[in-house]
Amino acid sequence: KNEVEQSPQNLTAQEGEFITINCSYSVGISALHWLQQHPGGGIVSLFMLSSGKKKHGRLIATINIQEKHSSLHITASHPRDSAVYICAVAYNNNDMRFGAGTRLTVKP
Amino acid sequence: DTGVSQDPRHKITKRGQNVTFRCDPISEHNRLYWYRQTLGQGPEFLTYFQNEAQLEKSRLLSDRFSAERPKGSFSTLEIQRTEQGDSAMYLCASSLGYRASYEQYFGPGTRLTVT
């Protein structure tokens, strides 16, 4: 069982829809990262969270430390948002654990 | 372009051969990570360096794998006697900071295919 669980594994949406991707983890962490990976492999860091909520453009990330849960929201989705979104948790021992990713396809 | 480069981008090798990958991090970043990613999975941690010191290695990093970061600048990852199970994307990331909670900047990866 992966220490970091993401849902859904695959998500197809129509352009303009509001999208939510969820991430749950099993033990206490020092921080949680949301990453975006495009075809070809390049990974870009979207957010780093240790508490609360962050917003960047159409992207919003939240974390609930007590419930060990984080969500990534995309408002007004666009086909260029199509990518794999990966949740990663950082432990105090500097180890990182990654979820398997959520493959998002936004159709025009 | 995140500022982290990796070379080569693709490598095809025959089983039993040795391969070496290079990562050039963002120049002022003191931490450098290596990850491995297989198809359909998230990256898996392999090892990381704080400047030139290799501080942690995953149990995934068998004796056939070795990594170096001379002078705390670029890093190399060598795989000896490659096996088909080594086929994966090898990712490098760097960060400015002393904890894994700092933002990491990823390179484009080196895709290894072992035939």
Side-chain angles (χ1 to χ4, degrees):
Chain A
K1 182 173 165 25
N2 197 342
E3 294 174 44
V4 182
E5 296 285 342
Q6 286 187 237
S7 62
Q9 287 186 316
N10 295 284
L11 180 57
T12 300
Q14 288 297 130
E15 183 173 357
E17 286 185 1
F18 180 83
I19 288 162
T20 296
I21 300 170
N22 296 299
C23 175
S24 297
Y25 51 93
S26 54
V27 296
I29 62 173
S30 61
L32 182 143
H33 301 259
W34 280 103
L35 311 170
Q36 181 191 56
Q37 186 169 31
H38 281 283
I43 293 179
V44 175
S45 177
L46 298 175
F47 295 103
M48 191 279 291
L49 294 162
S50 54
S51 65
K53 175 180 176 179
K54 286 190 177 180
K55 184 176 189 294
H56 185 254
R58 295 180 295 106
L59 303 178
I60 303 166
T62 64
I63 188 168
N64 185 318
I65 297 294
Q66 287 73 31
E67 294 186 3
K68 298 184 175 59
H69 180 269
S70 176
S71 294
L72 176 68
H73 306 285
I74 305 176
T75 62
S77 60
H78 190 275
R80 65 175 175 266
D81 297 326
S82 297
V84 175
Y85 292 84
I86 300 171
C87 169
V89 297
Y91 298 111
N92 286 331
N93 64 355
N94 295 301
D95 203 351
M96 290 272 286
R97 292 283 185 264
F98 295 77
T102 294
R103 183 174 300 277
L104 172 65
T105 303
V106 182
K107 296 185 175 180
Chain B
D1 183 0
T2 63
V4 178
S5 61
Q6 291 187 244
D7 183 69
R9 295 289 304 276
H10 303 272
K11 178 71 176 178
I12 300 174
T13 191
K14 292 185 178 179
R15 189 177 56 185
Q17 297 295 305
N18 298 345
V19 294
T20 299
F21 309 141
R22 177 179 170 125
C23 171
D24 285 272
I26 294 172
S27 60
E28 63 267 27
H29 283 187
N30 46 37
R31 185 159 285 196
L32 186 148
Y33 298 84
W34 283 101
Y35 300 99
R36 181 175 69 186
Q37 185 178 27
T38 53
L39 202 61
Q41 299 298 315
E44 296 173 294
F45 168 77
L46 292 178
T47 188
Y48 83 90
F49 292 84
Q50 183 70 37
N51 299 312
E52 68 275 10
Q54 186 175 18
L55 297 186
E56 189 168 340
K57 293 194 293 186
S58 163
R59 63 182 182 278
L60 295 174
L61 216 64
S62 75
D63 291 345
R64 297 184 297 105
F65 288 71
S66 63
E68 294 182 341
R69 192 184 182 196
K71 302 177 183 177
S73 55
F74 71 92
S75 177
T76 58
L77 178 68
E78 181 183 15
I79 309 174
Q80 296 182 328
R81 305 181 303 282
T82 53
E83 302 173 355
Q84 287 188 320
D86 297 331
S87 295
M89 175 78 85
Y90 289 84
L91 294 161
C92 169
S94 70
S95 71
L96 183 64
Y98 295 90
R99 300 179 70 85
S101 53
Y102 282 78
E103 182 176 358
Q104 296 187 19
Y105 295 80
F106 285 80
T110 294
R111 183 170 296 283
L112 173 66
T113 302
V114 182
T115 61

